[in-house]
Amino acid sequence: MRRYVIIGTGVAGISAAEVIRSQDTSGEILLIGDEPYGYYSRPGLAYFLTNEIPQQLLFPYSKKDFTNLNIQSLRARVIKIYPNDQLIETHSGDKIHYDQLLIAVGAAAAVPKIPGIDLTGVVKLDNLKDARSIIKLTGKARKAVVVGGGITALELVEGFRARGVKTHYLLRRDRFWGSVLDETESKIVEQRLIGEGVKIHYHTEVEKILGKRGRVSGVSIGDGKIIKCRLVGVAIGIKPRTRLAENAGIQTDRGILVNEFLQTNFPNIYAAGDITQVFDPFTGKTIIDSLWVPARLQGQTAGLNMTGQNVPYIKGVAFNVTRLAGLTTTIIGSVGRGADEDLVSIVRGDSETWRRIPDALVRQSKDKDSRLRLMLGENTILGAVMMGDQTLYQYLQPIISKQIDISPIREQLLQPNLPIGNIIIGFCSKRNLQLAV
Amino acid sequence: MGIRGIFQGKPSHRKALADGYVIPDSFRCVQCGICTYNCPIDLDVRRYAWLGSPINNSHCLTCGECVARCPRGVLRFGRLSDITQQHLGERNT
């Protein structure tokens, strides 16, 4: 009987386990992780913070579901992998044999080097433990400061506000998430935050986090200015947790390097999820996504290959849907422009590919709280950002991911007064192009 | 809701009441559970969304709570013809 060991209890690990069980009904599946709460919806933490769901709703699987899948779970920290002996060692000294191993330990929040970063009241939003700690701290805090960028920073800002904490959001430059959003999109998000009572400070950096008796009392922001606060939320990016793999001689770069079958340089060791650096056919480079869908697909693909199949992982266009200051927002393909000084690395819900845009034209459409930005290439649509109304998603997703030739409508899309929604839907209807359910 | 209220919903909702399905796009779902939490009859809508299956439980009211509350636009009302045959099993049996 084959033993499959999966290190990591996030969506990549769970997806792999599900697929392995569908292919191998008798093999032993062992899911190991140091996450005390096991598998839960990491993106759901944002809505737990805003009080839209209770904690128990974060768990999509019950114990019974795991029993039905015949998956064993072990809460342990894996401290070493012995690839030549096909063994892993846990923090308690247990050595466990594997036939096939998946590393899906994800990424951890990057920590900025700011004096005072270790004070009580400095928080990140990496996991459920962090979210619970934030909720506890917001019970006493009246003021908070958030530094960083991207989705996680916004989740902290919105979480604090939803819990009645006056929030200051510090941006190093002149706008929010400048590496992915354009000026108007950033402005829409910022205006909505301001409308919710958030105070945004542009061109502002934290010099030092101030404390009293080990607890946060404020931040100094230069020129002698101080913002008093009891909470400091930090979201400057994430770093794949590669140390375990590096120590085992597994090839890494920014993440674990894998071939098209998600195999590492050891044939029976695979990697999936935020820790994995995969080949991107659109750019010809290896990249890291910190996105739910690729993590799920990579887990499924690795799982299939661990059971003996040879299924390549073909990276699609980067795609994420999220909520930015209350607006449902979909980001597909190449949309960004480069660096963001609020971040030191990729953030959760982010893809390195979004920043690599070739020459493209931007076509914009406005309709109250809805906005659509299309990145037009020579004959294709390279990317899109949809804020608010999501109707066109089901049409644009196949157009962008399949690199459909849009030359018949390209000129129309560039006309300022034509309804681009109707043009796109008409184009897709004629070609039977629509996302399948 | 009074009798007049039936005619005050969005056109897509009225259409769904006639045709009958809430359709998920599993690619957009992150399993946050807001849909399940807000379902007035406690259907595990999230499970359907994860599997990419229409909410083909005969108890579904197509009330639209899950559609309206989903923060990621996973759910929408769809016509019967939008749904592929393999997903119709539960309702047809």
Side-chain angles (χ1 to χ4, degrees):
Chain A
M1 189 169 64
R2 195 178 269 197
R3 179 185 276 168
Y4 304 91
V5 173
I6 297 167
I7 312 174
T9 54
V11 64
I14 291 292
S15 301
E18 274 187 333
V19 162
I20 291 169
R21 180 54 72 228
S22 73
Q23 302 296 310
D24 183 344
T25 52
S26 62
E28 193 181 332
I29 302 174
L30 177 60
L31 203 55
I32 304 180
D34 57 359
E35 167 60 57
Y37 297 94
Y39 175 55
Y40 54 86
S41 171
R42 165 62 189 74
L45 294 180
Y47 316 125
F48 177 45
L49 275 189
T50 53
N51 229 350
E52 289 167 89
I53 42 169
Q55 182 177 312
Q56 66 265 27
L57 258 293
L58 290 169
F59 300 91
Y61 287 79
S62 63
K63 278 186 182 169
K64 195 178 159 197
D65 291 322
F66 283 111
T67 307
N68 290 342
L69 281 167
N70 192 16
I71 295 171
Q72 297 172 52
S73 295
L74 174 65
R75 186 183 161 193
R77 193 173 77 255
V78 177
I79 57 166
K80 203 160 185 187
I81 300 169
Y82 301 89
N84 295 327
D85 301 320
Q86 293 184 217
L87 290 171
I88 58 164
E89 183 178 345
T90 68
H91 68 287
S92 56
D94 293 332
K95 287 189 177 169
I96 299 168
H97 169 78
Y98 63 83
D99 293 301
Q100 299 289 322
L101 179 69
L102 176 66
I103 304 173
V105 294
V111 180
K113 288 173 184 163
I114 305 173
I117 195 75
D118 296 324
L119 290 164
T120 301
V122 178
V123 295
K124 59 186 174 60
L125 184 57
D126 240 4
N127 50 42
L128 180 51
K129 191 178 163 205
D130 294 336
R132 286 170 56 91
S133 162
I134 290 168
I135 289 169
K136 199 173 167 191
L137 290 164
T138 52
K140 292 177 186 169
R142 291 173 62 192
K143 255 190 195 179
V145 164
V146 174
V147 292
I151 293 170
T152 307
L154 216 50
E155 288 172 348
L156 286 167
V157 169
E158 292 179 293
F160 291 158
R161 276 307 301 142
R163 290 181 178 272
V165 180
K166 187 166 172 53
T167 306
H168 295 257
Y169 184 20
L170 275 47
L171 293 170
R172 281 185 167 184
R173 295 291 296 272
D174 56 350
R175 64 191 184 91
F176 169 72
W177 210 10
S179 56
V180 172
L181 303 182
D182 72 8
E183 288 81 355
T184 310
E185 288 152 0
S186 296
K187 194 56 70 186
I188 289 171
V189 174
E190 290 159 21
Q191 288 302 324
R192 291 177 71 95
L193 291 179
I194 291 165
E196 292 293 318
V198 176
K199 169 84 175 159
I200 299 179
H201 301 252
Y202 299 96
H203 303 287
T204 305
E205 285 184 51
V206 171
E207 282 187 344
K208 187 180 178 185
I209 302 171
L210 309 169
K212 272 185 193 163
R213 292 185 292 276
R215 293 178 177 276
V216 171
S217 63
V219 296
S220 66
I221 56 172
D223 296 334
K225 289 180 192 164
I226 288 172
I227 302 173
K228 285 185 180 175
C229 63
R230 297 286 293 273
L231 267 173
V232 176
V234 177
I236 61 159
I238 53 163
K239 295 236 183 291
R241 300 162 130 182
T242 52
R243 186 174 293 176
L244 180 68
E246 284 165 11
N247 291 343
I250 294 167
Q251 285 179 0
T252 60
D253 178 26
R254 298 188 304 287
I256 293 178
L257 294 168
V258 291
N259 65 12
E260 68 266 44
F261 303 107
L262 302 179
Q263 252 170 337
T264 66
N265 51 314
F266 293 98
N268 54 354
I269 302 180
Y270 294 77
D274 289 5
I275 195 172
T276 315
Q277 197 169 327
V278 296
F279 179 72
D280 175 28
F282 296 94
T283 59
K285 296 177 179 172
T286 57
I287 63 102
I288 294 172
D289 283 330
S290 181
L291 299 169
W292 182 268
V293 172
R296 186 182 177 190
L297 291 176
Q298 287 171 19
Q300 290 172 333
T301 305
L304 285 172
N305 293 332
M306 288 164 77
T307 63
Q309 300 191 38
N310 284 304
V311 181
Y313 172 74
I314 300 166
K315 183 182 151 30
V317 291
F319 157 79
N320 192 24
V321 54
T322 187
R323 196 173 65 181
L324 300 178
L327 273 184
T328 301
T329 302
T330 302
I331 304 166
I332 319 175
S334 301
V335 294
R337 294 169 179 210
D340 183 339
E341 288 197 13
D342 290 307
L343 300 168
V344 296
S345 65
I346 190 171
V347 290
R348 291 189 195 282
D350 195 353
S351 169
E352 290 180 345
T353 60
W354 284 341
R355 288 159 183 73
R356 293 179 180 145
I357 59 163
D359 292 336
L361 297 165
V362 180
R363 174 76 173 90
Q364 298 174 353
S365 171
K366 287 182 191 176
D367 175 23
K368 291 180 184 171
D369 279 340
S370 294
R371 186 169 188 276
L372 171 66
R373 172 160 60 103
L374 297 179
M375 307 304 288
L376 299 183
E378 208 166 305
N379 299 311
T380 55
I381 299 179
L382 303 167
V385 176
M386 259 168 281
M387 295 180 114
D389 192 325
Q390 301 291 301
T391 310
L392 285 179
Y393 162 74
Q394 54 186 306
Y395 303 97
L396 285 171
Q397 211 280 344
I399 288 180
I400 296 168
S401 62
K402 292 176 183 168
Q403 300 277 287
I404 301 292
D405 183 349
I406 54 127
S407 350
I409 56 166
R410 194 175 186 285
E411 287 308 310
Q412 290 178 67
L413 291 174
L414 289 166
Q415 299 295 318
N417 297 321
L418 292 179
I420 57 176
N422 292 350
I423 295 167
I424 290 166
I425 291 172
F427 174 76
C428 290
S429 301
K430 281 181 195 163
R431 288 157 184 80
N432 208 18
L433 271 176
Q434 193 173 348
L435 197 65
V437 175
Chain B
M1 182 171 70
I3 190 78
R4 285 180 61 192
I6 292 173
F7 302 103
Q8 287 171 349
K10 288 183 178 176
S12 61
H13 184 197
R14 291 202 296 272
K15 187 87 184 155
L17 283 171
D19 288 348
Y21 288 98
V22 171
I23 301 175
D25 173 359
S26 72
F27 258 43
R28 296 172 74 93
C29 177
V30 291
Q31 293 202 292
C32 71
I34 284 183
C35 51
T36 298
Y37 184 55
N38 287 287
C39 177
I41 57 163
D42 294 332
L43 290 179
D44 191 358
V45 181
R46 164 169 54 188
R47 183 57 63 93
Y48 288 89
W50 180 245
L51 299 171
S53 164
I55 318 304
N56 55 1
N57 186 302
S58 59
H59 296 102
C60 175
L61 306 169
T62 56
C63 66
E65 274 297 307
C66 57
V67 177
R69 304 268 186 161
C70 174
R72 300 194 176 221
V74 172
L75 303 159
R76 63 186 167 93
F77 292 116
R79 296 188 302 271
L80 204 60
S81 54
D82 289 342
I83 302 164
T84 51
Q85 283 302 312
Q86 69 263 27
H87 290 132
L88 291 174
E90 189 180 335
R91 190 139 191 180
N92 288 345
T93 51

